């Protein structure tokens, strides 16, 4: 091959390699810019700009996000569908806006006469209150508490349902017990309060509800139902102790019987019932304890029930005892 031809080929090879390197550099350098331009286009479309955490902070059109707020509900819970802000001032503003909407709904409920529309408003109200929880504006709590005695009686159940959505709100639960202790005359008000307490899951008020039993409060059997929802084994054993040691209304005693039967799997409960039976209680208490013990799966408890049934002089009482889970 001629020397001139060889030199030409070398030059062309060098030029080709240089061109390839130049194109690669252009592609690498243009990638972030292309990505940025794509992001800018999406930003212009959505009116939002990604922040450092990867969530979107609205600069125009509001963007629905999924946000984890520390201390809001269970640890690490994600709350979809509501755009939560990212600093304290904005967060307070959103809560104030939500609380304001709650007050608007309450005003509408007071005015609205259509049953369907009222219950629709009630559903929106409950959803908002569940979102706010114990962070709800105090003015909202006070308004709901006042409505329990001022709204039309037939709508007090709706207000009680709304109060029950404030789960974990110890202060409001305490105020509801205060209202009960003032013995409101309207039965629908009392029932709304008990229903709210059962939903709120505030165990701190359990001792106060227990203390009401036997004090001749109206509808005190509903306090037993509320205790069944918010209490644990300690409250269950306290109900058993109160039934054994204190005179109670018949409906209250029956409610405790039913509750303790449903709690039969709680550790040691049925052993405590059997132990109370062995201490020669009054006839009335003995019959209640036998009814509770019929729910036990323990063979010893079943035999105790059968033995007591055989010794019962009244035929109807014998049959009642033998028909329980511990019967033959």
């Amino acid at each position: 091959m001629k020397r001139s031809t060889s030199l030409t080929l070398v030059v062309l090879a060098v030029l080709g390699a240089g061109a390839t390197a130049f194109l690669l550099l252009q592609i690498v350098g243009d990638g972030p810019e292309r990505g940025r331009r794509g992001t800018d286009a999406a930003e212009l479309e959505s009116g939002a700009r990604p922040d450092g955490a990867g969530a979107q902070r609205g600069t125009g059109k509001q963007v629905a996000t999924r946000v984890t707020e520390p201390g809001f509900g269970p640890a690490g819970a994600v709350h979809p569908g509501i755009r939560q802000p990212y600093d304290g001032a904005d967060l307070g503003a959103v809560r104030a806006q939500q609380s304001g909407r709650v007050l608007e709904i309450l005003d509408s409920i007071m005015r609205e006469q259509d049953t369907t529309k009222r219950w629709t408003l009630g559903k929106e109200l409950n959803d908002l209150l569940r979102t706010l929880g114990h962070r709800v504006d105090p003015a909202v709590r006070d308004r709901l508490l006042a409505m329990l005695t001022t709204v039309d009686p037939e709508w007090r159940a709706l207000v009680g349902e709304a109060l029950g959505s404030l789960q974990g709100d110890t202060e409001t639960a305490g105020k509801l017990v205060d209202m009960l202790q003032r013995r409101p005359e309207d039965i629908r008000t009392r029932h709304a309060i008990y229903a709210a307490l059962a939903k709120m899951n505030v165990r701190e008020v359990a001792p106060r509800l227990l203390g009401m039993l036997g004090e001749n409060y109206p509808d005190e059997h509903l306090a037993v139902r509320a205790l069944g929802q918010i209490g644990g084994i300690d409250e269950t054993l306290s109900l058993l102790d109160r039934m054994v040691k204190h005179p109670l209304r018949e409906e209250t005693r029956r409610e405790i019987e039913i509750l303790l039967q449903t709690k039969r799997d709680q550790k040691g409960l049925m052993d405590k019932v059997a132990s109370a039976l062995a201490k020669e209680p009054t006839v009335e208490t003995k019959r209640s304890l036998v009814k509770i013990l019929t729910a036990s799966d323990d063979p010893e408890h079943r035999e105790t029930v059968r033995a007591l049934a055989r010794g019962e002089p009244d035929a109807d009482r014998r049959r009642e005892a033998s028909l329980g889970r511990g019967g033959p």
Side-chain angles (χ1 to χ4, degrees), residues 218-283:
D219 306 305
E220 66 177 12
H221 64 287
L222 297 179
V224 177
R225 293 185 191 177
L227 284 164
Q229 294 293 319
I230 68 178
I233 182 61
D234 291 340
E235 286 73 24
T236 304
L237 292 175
S238 295
L239 283 170
L240 173 63
D241 184 70
R242 188 158 290 269
M243 186 182 71
V244 170
K245 296 180 179 179
H246 300 274
L248 297 173
R249 291 180 175 182
E250 180 61 28
E251 62 268 28
T252 304
R253 182 180 293 277
R254 284 199 303 268
E255 201 66 44
I256 294 176
E257 291 171 5
I258 294 168
L259 175 61
L260 267 59
Q261 285 180 323
T262 65
K263 303 284 187 180
R264 61 180 177 271
D265 294 329
Q266 286 187 343
K267 186 177 179 181
L269 174 60
M270 288 301 172
D271 288 337
K272 294 283 187 182
V273 174
S275 177
L277 263 173
K279 295 177 181 178
E280 299 184 359
T282 63
V283 173

Side-chain angles (χ1 to χ4, degrees), residues 7-63:
L7 289 173
T8 302
L9 290 174
V10 169
V11 170
L12 289 174
V14 170
L15 289 174
T20 301
F22 177 77
L23 288 173
L24 287 172
L25 287 172
Q26 284 290 96
I27 292 170
V28 172
D30 190 46
E33 180 66 20
R34 185 183 297 112
R36 190 188 67 77
R37 287 198 299 269
T39 299
D40 289 345
E43 184 179 320
L44 290 172
E45 173 65 23
S46 67
R49 181 172 60 251
D51 64 15
Q56 287 186 320
R57 186 185 301 275
T59 57
K61 184 173 64 178
Q62 184 168 331
V63 179

Side-chain angles (χ1 to χ4, degrees), residues 5-321:
T5 304
S6 299
L7 289 173
T8 302
L9 290 174
V10 169
V11 170
L12 289 174
V14 170
L15 289 174
T20 301
F22 177 77
L23 288 173
L24 287 172
L25 287 172
Q26 284 290 96
I27 292 170
V28 172
D30 190 46
E33 180 66 20
R34 185 183 297 112
R36 190 188 67 77
R37 287 198 299 269
T39 299
D40 289 345
E43 184 179 320
L44 290 172
E45 173 65 23
S46 67
R49 181 172 60 251
D51 64 15
Q56 287 186 320
R57 186 185 301 275
T59 57
K61 184 173 64 178
Q62 184 168 331
V63 179
T65 60
R66 292 170 60 82
V67 181
T68 299
E69 178 196 345
F72 186 72
V78 176
H79 303 273
I82 299 175
R83 180 182 176 275
Q84 297 289 352
Y86 298 89
D87 59 67
D90 284 347
L91 187 57
V94 166
R95 289 189 186 130
Q97 182 183 24
Q98 291 171 334
S99 294
R101 175 56 185 156
V102 170
L103 291 172
E104 290 176 4
I105 294 172
L106 295 179
D107 286 336
S108 298
I109 288 173
M110 293 288 285
R111 295 191 304 268
E112 185 59 61
Q113 299 299 316
D114 183 86
T115 300
T116 302
K117 290 181 180 178
R118 249 184 173 174
W119 282 109
T120 300
L121 287 167
K123 184 180 183 306
E124 182 185 354
L125 176 65
N126 291 341
D127 290 342
L128 277 171
L129 291 175
R130 276 192 294 271
T131 299
L132 289 165
H134 66 280
R135 300 168 187 268
V136 70
D137 191 296
V140 172
R141 292 197 296 258
D142 293 343
R143 182 73 179 277
L144 284 167
L145 290 169
M147 287 177 71
L148 277 172
T149 55
T150 57
V151 76
D152 294 341
E154 61 267 28
W155 293 110
R156 291 179 188 178
L158 186 152
V159 179
E161 182 81 8
L163 283 163
S165 297
L166 299 176
Q167 295 192 10
D169 190 336
T170 305
E171 182 181 353
T172 301
K175 289 181 178 180
L176 287 171
V177 178
D178 290 341
M179 293 179 70
L180 283 175
Q181 292 182 323
R182 291 195 289 270
R183 303 171 187 259
E185 293 183 1
D186 183 72
I187 186 172
R188 285 165 289 196
T189 301
R190 299 195 302 268
H191 285 211
I193 293 173
Y194 282 119
L197 288 170
K199 280 185 61 183
M200 290 178 76
N201 199 27
V202 177
R203 197 170 179 181
E204 288 82 354
V205 300
R208 296 182 64 188
L209 291 175
L210 282 165
M212 292 170 59
L213 302 182
E215 298 298 321
N216 206 34
Y217 281 93
D219 306 305
E220 66 177 12
H221 64 287
L222 297 179
V224 177
R225 293 185 191 177
L227 284 164
Q229 294 293 319
I230 68 178
I233 182 61
D234 291 340
E235 286 73 24
T236 304
L237 292 175
S238 295
L239 283 170
L240 173 63
D241 184 70
R242 188 158 290 269
M243 186 182 71
V244 170
K245 296 180 179 179
H246 300 274
L248 297 173
R249 291 180 175 182
E250 180 61 28
E251 62 268 28
T252 304
R253 182 180 293 277
R254 284 199 303 268
E255 201 66 44
I256 294 176
E257 291 171 5
I258 294 168
L259 175 61
L260 267 59
Q261 285 180 323
T262 65
K263 303 284 187 180
R264 61 180 177 271
D265 294 329
Q266 286 187 343
K267 186 177 179 181
L269 174 60
M270 288 301 172
D271 288 337
K272 294 283 187 182
V273 174
S275 177
L277 263 173
K279 295 177 181 178
E280 299 184 359
T282 63
V283 173
E284 185 179 42
T285 301
K286 179 180 176 181
R287 288 170 178 165
S288 292
L289 293 171
V290 169
K291 287 179 182 177
I292 297 167
L293 203 61
T294 59
S296 176
D297 290 318
D298 189 302
E300 292 186 9
H301 297 159
R302 293 181 181 182
E303 181 54 39
T304 298
V305 171
R306 281 193 289 265
L308 290 169
R310 288 193 295 269
E312 175 62 61
D314 185 275
D316 290 337
R317 296 290 182 184
R318 279 200 306 275
R319 181 175 180 279
E320 181 180 297

